[in-house]
């Protein structure tokens, strides 16, 4: 017994004096828009490691990650761009880069962080290390004196980015091989009011959802010379549109098993498109206006949440049967869902119940719930390794 | 032409509003309901107009940005939406009096959510 005692003391002391080493692969953040903070979470322990405060107005905030998964770049509505160190749980740098911002992206090589802005309409390019401004690209259209809101920004292979101009009805590709000398390719008349965009997980196709008309604008990024095609052009034909109380979000989540699952606008349906032919192959009736339609990483399920007033439920589509197989009620005002890297858990934010609920995606069992202040977006570090975020 | 349409619609709105008997003045909303409305505007309208109402996909809803708009026009917009834009009609969830209350609060500086 006695020889063990000094050893124990030594062990205890060493535990006190140095922080344990850890990786970041199972970490993430939850945006707490009620308090302008982010909660740093651990998906293995299913716990909150701590909070980072002082991030400003976080309504519609989103985040991207450095390649090593250590730093989150958080884009706030107020134009704030904050670099957060997940391990030390502190702000590394914070700048105000615009008057009104809705998100951003990070380049393939991790060196450029791009903000997409409503006001002033355009994108800005920053050095990922220092957040120094490298380029400013106003989204000028028409007579060149108007600037469009930018939506649906996604990174492409080759340090290029693709995005849509809500007011102008255009898609732009910017090549940032030389960040201070951006080269822009414009696609005009792509359809009315593109509201968001997604790039397929292989980085090949860009889809911009249209609000002002039925359909989705499709661009083959391997063959941009073919121009933008419209798909799903008549899904709403002959029927009165239902009101849309919240815009759907596309981004890069909804491709599974050779099919893309997309929210219909003004219909309580998920549209299914074959990604080989880009023809509609099905429609799946769901509870309300879909907001996020997200494929589990293995593609076996697609999870859907909804706009007000149906936003307290989540439905799960089985991708073999193309039917809703389960409906969950995680809490009031579900804003976002995020899968763990290999998809065994999903984390769901219930804004008005001030909690994040964690579910097992096989049994749908509620594994745990964590308190959070008006939680909205949930972003895991596994995004660092995916195209299109 | 666009002007004419807007004006005709304005007249229609005005007539519609004159015909509505239960108009806002003097109607007191319960404290509980006003609490709900504040949350709804900050959070759900905030999805497009921003949590601080400084705008987003939808325009800003701050007093200075609404100064040149009439209460009637704004109330109509809240209740029936604006065709051709993403603004949806909220009349399934709000009474005229509640829409009126929201508009008046927006025009004078919308209350913060109390927790």
């Amino acid at each position: 017994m006695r020889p063990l005692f000094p050893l124990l003391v030594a062990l205890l002391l060493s535990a006190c004096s140095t922080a344990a080493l850890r990786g970041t692969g199972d970490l993430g953040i939850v945006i707490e828009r009620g308090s302008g903070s982010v909660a740093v979470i651990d998906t293995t322990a299913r716990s909150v490691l701590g909070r980072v405060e002082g991030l400003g107005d976080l309504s519609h905030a989103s985040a991207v990650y450095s390649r090593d998964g250590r730093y989150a770049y958080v884009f706030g509505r107020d134009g704030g761009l904050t670099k957060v160190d997940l391990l030390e749980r502190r702000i590394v740098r914070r700048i105000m880069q615009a008057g009104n911002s809705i998100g951003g992206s990070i380049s393939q090589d991790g060196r450029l962080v791009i903000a997409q802005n409503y006001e002033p309409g355009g994108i800005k390019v920053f050095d990922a290390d220092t957040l120094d401004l490298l380029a400013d690209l106003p989204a000028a259209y028409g007579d060149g004196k108007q600037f469009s809101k930018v939506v649906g920004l996604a990174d492409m292979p080759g340090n290029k980015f693709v995005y849509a101009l809500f007011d102008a009805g255009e898609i732009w590709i910017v090549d940032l091989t030389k960040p201070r000398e951006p080269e822009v390719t414009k696609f005009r008349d792509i359809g009315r009011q593109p509201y968001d965009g997604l790039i397929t997980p292989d980085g090949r196709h860009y889809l911009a959802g249209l609000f002002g008309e039925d359909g989705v604008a499709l661009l083959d990024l391997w063959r941009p010379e073919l121009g933008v095609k419209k798909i799903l052009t008549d899904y709403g034909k002959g029927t009165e549109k239902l009101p849309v109380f919240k815009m759907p979000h596309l981004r890069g989540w909804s491709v599974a098993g050779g099919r893309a699952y997309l929210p219909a606008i003004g219909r309580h349906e998920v549209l299914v498109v074959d990604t080989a032919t880009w023809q509609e192959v099905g429609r799946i009736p769901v509870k309300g206006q879909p907001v996020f339609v997200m494929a589990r990483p293995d593609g076996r399920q697609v999870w859907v949440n909804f706009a007000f007033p149906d936003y307290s439920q989540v439905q799960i589509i089985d991708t073999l049967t193309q039917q809703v197989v389960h409906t969950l009620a995680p809490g009031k005002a579900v804003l976002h869902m995020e899968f763990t890297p290999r998809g065994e858990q999903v984390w769901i934010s219930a804004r008005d119940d001030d909690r994040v609920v964690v579910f097992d995606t096989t049994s749908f069992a509620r594994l745990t719930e964590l308190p959070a202040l008006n939680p909205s977006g949930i972003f895991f570090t596994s995004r660092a390794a995916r195209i299109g975020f | 032409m666009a002007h004419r349409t807007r004006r005709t619609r304005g007249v229609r709105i005005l007539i519609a509003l004159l015909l509505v008997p239960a108009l806002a003045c003097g109607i007191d909303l319960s404290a509980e309901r006003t609490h709900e409305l504040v949350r709804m505007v900050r959070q759900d309208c905030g999805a497009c107009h921003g949590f601080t109402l400084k705008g987003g996909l939808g325009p800003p809803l701050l007093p200075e940005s609404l100064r040149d708009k009439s209460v009637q026009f704004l109330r109509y917009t809240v209740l029936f939406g604006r065709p051709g834009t993403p603004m949806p009609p909220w009349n399934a969830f709000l009474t005229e009096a509640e829409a009126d209350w929201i508009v008046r609060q927006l025009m004078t500086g919308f209350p913060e959510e109390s927790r």
Side-chain angles (χ1 to χ4, degrees):
Chain A
M1 201 58 196
R2 186 173 283 178
L4 267 181
F5 186 71
L7 189 68
L8 263 175
V9 171
L11 270 176
L12 282 171
L13 283 176
S14 72
C16 294
S17 59
T18 55
L21 288 173
R22 71 156 301 152
T24 58
D26 57 356
L27 299 186
I29 60 170
V30 176
I31 304 285
E32 296 183 302
R33 70 181 200 175
S35 53
S37 55
V38 296
V40 178
I41 53 93
D42 173 340
T43 58
T44 302
R46 292 179 209 139
S47 64
V48 175
L49 295 176
R51 275 195 169 71
V52 181
E53 292 177 336
L55 277 75
D57 174 7
L58 292 184
S59 55
H60 204 289
S62 68
V64 295
Y65 285 96
S66 59
R67 294 179 80 231
D68 59 5
R70 175 166 180 177
Y71 300 102
Y73 299 89
V74 182
F75 304 90
R77 166 74 77 189
D78 54 6
L81 168 56
T82 313
K83 183 175 179 179
V84 175
D85 182 336
L86 264 52
L87 291 179
E88 295 186 347
R89 293 191 283 287
R90 66 180 182 90
I91 291 174
V92 179
R93 185 142 188 236
R94 175 172 161 76
I95 57 168
M96 295 305 287
Q97 59 85 24
N100 200 316
S101 180
I102 60 146
S105 190
I106 188 162
S107 61
Q108 187 179 38
D109 65 5
R111 295 166 79 168
L112 306 171
V113 171
I114 321 292
Q116 56 177 337
N117 296 324
Y118 281 166
E119 183 57 52
I123 65 163
K124 286 186 181 171
V125 182
F126 299 94
D127 180 300
D129 281 337
T130 60
L131 299 189
D132 289 341
L133 181 68
L134 299 177
D136 183 355
L137 272 107
Y141 70 101
D143 59 6
K145 291 177 194 149
Q146 292 162 288
F147 302 96
S148 174
K149 299 181 184 85
V150 169
V151 298
L153 175 71
D155 78 287
M156 285 168 58
N159 275 19
K160 293 179 183 175
F161 293 83
V162 55
Y163 51 99
L165 278 58
F166 175 80
D167 308 285
E170 296 182 8
I171 292 174
W172 288 13
I173 293 174
V174 57
D175 185 337
L176 292 169
T177 310
K178 295 178 189 162
R180 290 183 187 276
E181 296 162 46
E183 280 180 35
V184 180
T185 309
K186 298 176 186 177
F187 300 85
R188 298 208 162 90
D189 301 319
I190 61 108
R192 294 209 329 265
Q193 296 174 321
Y195 62 86
D196 198 7
L198 77 81
I199 197 165
T200 48
D202 58 5
R204 175 166 180 181
H205 292 98
Y206 180 73
L207 285 84
L210 302 174
F211 183 83
E213 61 186 272
D214 284 343
V216 171
L218 170 74
L219 180 58
D220 182 345
L221 301 169
W222 288 5
R223 292 184 297 170
E225 66 281 2
L226 298 182
V228 173
K229 283 183 207 147
K230 250 180 249 176
I231 59 167
L232 299 169
T233 47
D234 51 28
Y235 70 77
K237 243 180 205 135
T239 51
E240 181 90 0
K241 290 220 169 212
L242 298 166
V244 178
F245 292 102
K246 184 175 177 170
M247 279 289 187
H249 287 55
L250 297 174
R251 305 292 286 180
W253 298 286
S254 63
V255 177
R259 289 174 167 151
Y261 293 80
L262 301 167
I265 278 268
R267 296 180 68 89
H268 294 179
E269 287 175 343
V270 170
L271 306 171
V272 191
V273 187
D274 184 322
T275 56
T277 61
W278 295 103
Q279 299 290 309
E280 180 183 329
V281 290
R283 296 177 188 196
I284 302 165
V286 288
K287 195 87 197 166
Q289 166 70 55
V291 174
F292 283 102
V293 178
M294 302 172 75
R296 198 172 74 177
D298 62 353
R300 186 67 181 82
Q301 299 169 344
V302 167
W303 289 54
V304 187
N305 77 323
F306 305 103
F308 176 90
D310 305 298
Y311 61 178
S312 296
Q313 295 177 81
V314 168
Q315 291 196 303
I316 299 111
I317 293 167
D318 178 306
T319 51
L320 277 185
T321 64
Q322 305 282 304
Q323 283 178 342
V324 171
V325 289
H326 209 82
T327 301
L328 291 169
K332 192 155 181 242
V334 169
L335 293 193
H336 201 211
M337 308 173 279
E338 179 88 331
F339 293 99
T340 45
R342 292 207 275 176
E344 77 288 354
Q345 300 168 27
V346 63
W347 289 49
I348 297 179
S349 54
R351 182 195 70 202
D352 288 2
D353 281 338
D354 292 310
R355 67 178 180 229
V356 171
V357 188
V358 183
F359 289 94
D360 179 305
T361 59
T362 305
S363 65
F364 306 118
R366 192 180 279 237
L367 298 174
T368 190
E369 58 181 67
L370 301 164
L373 207 54
N374 289 170
S376 56
I378 305 174
F379 304 95
F380 292 166
T381 54
S382 47
R383 285 171 178 252
R386 291 184 65 183
I387 294 171
F389 294 105
Chain B
M1 198 55 199
H3 262 120
R4 172 87 42 95
T5 320
R6 196 168 298 162
R7 193 166 304 162
T8 342
R9 196 169 75 183
V11 170
R12 256 192 295 140
I13 299 167
L14 209 68
I15 293 169
L17 292 172
L18 287 171
L19 291 176
V20 174
L23 266 193
C25 318
I27 292 180
D28 282 326
L29 303 174
S30 70
E32 192 188 353
R33 186 59 182 155
T34 54
H35 181 82
E36 281 171 12
L37 293 180
V38 170
R39 159 147 287 216
M40 186 176 176
V41 171
R42 287 273 173 204
Q43 300 289 345
D44 295 310
C45 304
C48 271
H49 297 280
F51 187 58
T52 56
L53 305 174
K54 67 186 281 188
L57 197 63
L61 301 178
L62 298 170
E64 55 270 29
S65 43
L66 300 178
R67 197 174 297 143
D68 61 338
K69 309 275 194 300
S70 72
V71 174
Q72 286 83 353
F73 167 77
L74 293 171
R75 184 196 299 136
Y76 190 90
T77 303
V78 170
L79 289 172
F80 304 106
R82 295 193 67 183
T85 79
M87 178 66 185
W90 293 84
N91 59 345
F93 312 100
L94 294 171
T95 66
E96 304 240 356
E98 288 168 349
D100 193 73
W101 184 85
I102 288 171
V103 165
R104 286 174 196 281
Q105 298 299 315
L106 288 172
M107 293 184 95
T108 51
F110 203 78
E112 294 293 332
E113 249 187 284
S114 52
R115 297 195 68 87

